[in-house]
Amino acid sequence: MATRSCREKAQKLNEQHQLILSKLLREEDNKYCADCEAKGPRWASWNIGVFICIRCAGIHRNLGVHISRVKSVNLDQWTAEQIQCMQDMGNTKARLLYEANLPENFRRPQTDQKDEIFIVN
């Protein structure tokens, strides 16, 4: 059984992590889902380092944890390592990395099925 001081320490750490995530979500490109550009993402693929909407989070979960590790920004507990991954990447850097070879006139998919194909590829 965890001691009171351990629980308080964990609670304080979680509050610090929530503040960091809130700050990251205020950055312009993080205000939109990295995959479909839906406004106000509340989920993240922490190992990829992107903020995503609930619909795209479901697609990421279906990819398997060996590809994408999804957490709720608000509902889940975060580790320092996971927070660091989000700070190191973010939607802007991720797009530069993962979408570097997309044509200049590329338009994001507008349907669930096409979104899934876009995310997988």
Side-chain angles (χ1 to χ4, degrees), residues 20-33:
I20 293 168
L21 291 169
S22 293
K23 181 181 176 189
L24 290 172
L25 281 168
R26 286 192 298 272
E27 293 177 12
E28 190 58 36
D29 211 26
N30 293 339
K31 291 179 181 179
Y32 302 92
C33 175

Side-chain angles (χ1 to χ4, degrees), residues 13-66:
L13 186 60
N14 188 53
E15 289 171 5
Q16 290 172 343
H17 289 165
Q18 287 300 309
L19 286 173
I20 293 168
L21 291 169
S22 293
K23 181 181 176 189
L24 290 172
L25 281 168
R26 286 192 298 272
E27 293 177 12
E28 190 58 36
D29 211 26
N30 293 339
K31 291 179 181 179
Y32 302 92
C33 175
D35 294 326
C36 74
E37 295 186 338
K39 190 173 182 175
R42 304 308 304 162
W43 294 82
S45 172
W46 67 263
N47 65 311
I48 296 174
V50 294
F51 291 99
I52 52 180
C53 68
I54 192 166
R55 189 169 56 88
C56 291
I59 296 169
H60 276 257
R61 284 187 190 266
N62 287 337
L63 297 174
V65 295
H66 62 292

Side-chain angles (χ1 to χ4, degrees), residues 60-92:
H60 276 257
R61 284 187 190 266
N62 287 337
L63 297 174
V65 295
H66 62 292
I67 296 174
S68 184
R69 295 178 181 223
V70 177
K71 292 186 87 112
S72 168
V73 171
N74 302 66
L75 303 174
D76 290 321
Q77 300 285 319
W78 288 69
T79 67
E81 173 195 11
Q82 294 163 346
I83 294 292
Q84 190 62 54
C85 288
M86 297 304 295
Q87 290 176 306
D88 289 346
M89 187 62 77
N91 290 2
T92 301

